[in-house]
Every structure is written in C-alpha cells, then in structure tokens.
C-alpha cells in the first residue's frame, strides 16, 4: 500500500505543476481518487495520506465497499447510472458527475425530493460525438438546459466529459476546451452558476487542468492497473 501513497504524492505534484503552468491556484482543482474495482484497503491507504474524495461507478460495488472505508470520506458517483438504481445511490453519493440524460436528472430530482436527500451533480456532455459515449450532445444540452437548471431537488453545478481514448494527452485538449466554452456559454445565457468542470483522467489530467478542470478523476495512476474490467 506504500505504492499508493507514493503514486498520490506524484499525482498531487503533477496536478500542482499543471495548475501553476495555467496560472491557476492548485487548490481550485480537486482530485477524485477513482477506487472502482479496488478494495476498501486501497481506499484506506489513500485516505491515510489525506485523500478525501473517492469516485465509484457501480452502485452495488459501492454499497459493499463504502461501509468498510473510513467514515469521513466524500463519495462521488462517476459512472453511467441506471434510473432504477437512483434510490440506492442517493444515500451513498452526495455528488453525481455523470448525469447523462434529462430522464436521469428527473429521476434524481424526484427521488431526492421524496427522500429529503440533497443531490448535486454535473451534466455529462459527449463533446467528441463518439457513438460509444453517454451524455448530451452540445446542442441537446443547449435545448434542455433551462429545464434541467430549474429542477428543485437537484442542483446542477457544472459539466463533465470524457475525452476519446488516445496515447497522446494532447489529443484531449480540444475536447476539454470545448467543454469549458460550452460551460461559459450556458452560464451566461441562463444566469446559472456552473463552477465545476469534471474532466481529465490518468492519461490526460494535465491538459484538463490547463483547460480549466476543477475536478480530475484519476484511478489507475493512483491504485495501479485495474484487477478486473469495469462495465455497468
Ligand atoms: C474509470 C474512470 C476514470 C478513471 O480512469 P483512469 O484511467 O483509471 O484514471 C475516470 N472517469 C470515469 C468516468 C471512469 O469511469
């Protein structure tokens, strides 16, 4: 587990350097340690270095893992969430990165209203237009944003995206820049604050920070190669 502490130290110093290159305060970028597929012991090792925010992408796995982890952590849901899992997810996760349809946003809002949960989240945008990706296209989001921003029990706090897979992190930069521009456009068109941009993973978090990410989601660079594939 010492490897996890060493990896985290390296990621934090790269995060700080990327923020400084962009003239940003490193404290404006929060690191989400993506612990999906890794055991509670790995979360514990990361938590003992001061890491506080963890990301999970499957509700069932999180239901088993979270009770075995330190209790002072903040859990973010980062994967594709099925509507029929919202009721189970809400008590575990105060923050959803990947709200990828108006129907899902509506389900979170409705169930949060029924149960008194406080839900916050980000709208996932399929910037690159890849068929395999979830999320709103930029035009869908332009059309649907006014209704989403008005949901009474779900606070929309920003946007999230995943860049297409590539060996070259620079390939992701135009995707991140477009998400930032879309955020600025929606924010000023609708007078709705969207302070958070969740973008960047192990392979591309540095260009994401240079393009304005406030949340980066890093898994394998912290915890090592994933023990098993992770698909909902
Ligand atoms: C798994 C996952 C990550 C972390 O990916 P790594 O390449 O392991 O850093 C980030 N975001 C989402 C949505 C994921 O599913």
């Amino acid at each position: 587990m010492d490897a996890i502490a060493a990896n985290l130290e390296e990621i934090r110093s790269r995060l700080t350097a990327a923020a400084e290159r962009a003239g940003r305060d490193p404290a404006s970028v929060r690191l989400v340690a993506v612990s999906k597929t890794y055991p509670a012991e790995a979360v514990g090792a990361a938590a003992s270095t001061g890491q506080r925010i963890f990301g999970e992408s499957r509700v069932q796995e999180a239901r088993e893992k979270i009770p075995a982890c330190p209790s002072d952590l903040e859990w973010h849901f980062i994967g594709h969430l099925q509507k029929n899992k919202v009721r189970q997810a809400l008590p575990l996760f105060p923050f959803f990165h990947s709200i990828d349809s108006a129907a899902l946003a509506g389900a979170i809002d409705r169930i949060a209203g029924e149960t008194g949960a406080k839900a916050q989240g980000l709208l996932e945008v399929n910037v690159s237009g890849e068929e395999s990706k979830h999320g709103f296209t930029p035009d869908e989001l332009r059309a649907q944003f006014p209704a989403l921003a008005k949901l009474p029990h779900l606070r929309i706090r920003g946007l999230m995206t995943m860049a297409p897979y590539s060996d070259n992190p620079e390939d992701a930069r135009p995707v991140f820049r477009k998400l930032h521009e879309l955020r600025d456009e929606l924010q000023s068109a609708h007078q709705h604050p969207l302070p958070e941009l969740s973008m960047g993973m192990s392979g591309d978090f540095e260009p994401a920070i240079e393009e304005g990410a406030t949340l980066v989601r890093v898994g394998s660079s912290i915890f090592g190669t994933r023990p098993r594939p992770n698909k909902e």
Side-chain angles (χ1 to χ4, degrees):
M1 295 299 163
D2 284 352
I4 292 176
N7 291 343
L8 267 167
E9 190 175 311
E10 194 206 317
I11 297 292
R12 290 196 189 103
S13 77
R14 286 169 59 192
L15 181 158
T16 299
E20 285 170 352
R21 276 197 299 282
R24 301 182 54 201
D25 178 358
S28 69
V29 186
R30 291 186 294 157
L31 175 62
V32 180
V34 177
S35 50
K36 66 181 186 198
T37 76
Y38 304 99
E41 294 71 43
V43 172
S48 70
T49 73
Q51 178 62 32
R52 280 293 162 271
I53 307 179
F54 290 83
E56 288 286 331
S57 64
R58 294 173 71 225
V59 174
Q60 189 54 41
E61 180 181 338
R63 271 161 65 100
E64 291 162 18
K65 190 184 302 182
I66 291 175
C69 292
S71 59
D72 57 343
L73 305 179
E74 183 178 324
W75 292 93
H76 289 196
F77 195 84
I78 63 163
H80 174 59
L81 182 61
Q82 288 160 340
K83 287 203 298 291
N84 62 9
K85 299 274 174 66
V86 169
R87 203 173 285 279
Q88 292 182 352
L90 268 172
L92 299 170
F93 296 99
F95 200 89
F96 296 88
H97 283 237
S98 43
I99 300 170
D100 53 13
S101 70
L104 176 61
I108 295 173
D109 176 64
R110 179 172 55 79
I111 296 170
E114 275 172 39
T115 60
K118 293 218 183 320
Q120 295 190 42
L122 311 176
L123 300 169
E124 179 170 359
V125 187
N126 183 355
V127 175
S128 61
E130 281 180 292
E131 290 263 341
S132 60
K133 286 214 175 354
H134 294 287
F136 298 86
T137 67
D139 279 339
E140 284 166 356
L141 192 56
R142 287 182 180 99
Q144 297 178 29
F145 186 79
L148 295 166
K150 282 197 202 87
L151 294 172
H153 307 291
L154 170 63
R155 258 175 88 203
I156 302 295
R157 299 283 294 157
L159 306 182
M160 176 272 203
T161 198
M162 287 174 84
Y165 178 78
S166 164
D167 287 335
N168 181 359
E170 283 304 314
D171 291 345
R173 188 182 294 277
V175 171
F176 298 149
R177 189 167 294 173
K178 278 195 191 132
L179 192 75
H180 190 151
E181 288 167 1
L182 181 61
R183 185 276 300 273
D184 290 353
E185 176 194 322
L186 293 171
Q187 190 167 245
S188 59
H190 303 286
Q191 309 294 313
H192 180 101
L194 296 170
E196 304 288 356
L197 285 174
S198 171
M199 53 191 196
M201 319 193 341
S202 288
D204 55 20
F205 73 90
E206 287 155 309
I209 291 169
E210 289 166 11
E211 298 301 331
T214 61
L215 290 158
V216 291
R217 310 175 309 268
V218 179
S220 50
S221 293
I222 296 172
F223 295 109
T225 309
R226 244 172 236 114
R228 58 184 162 81
N230 180 260
K231 277 265 160 208
E232 184 79 299

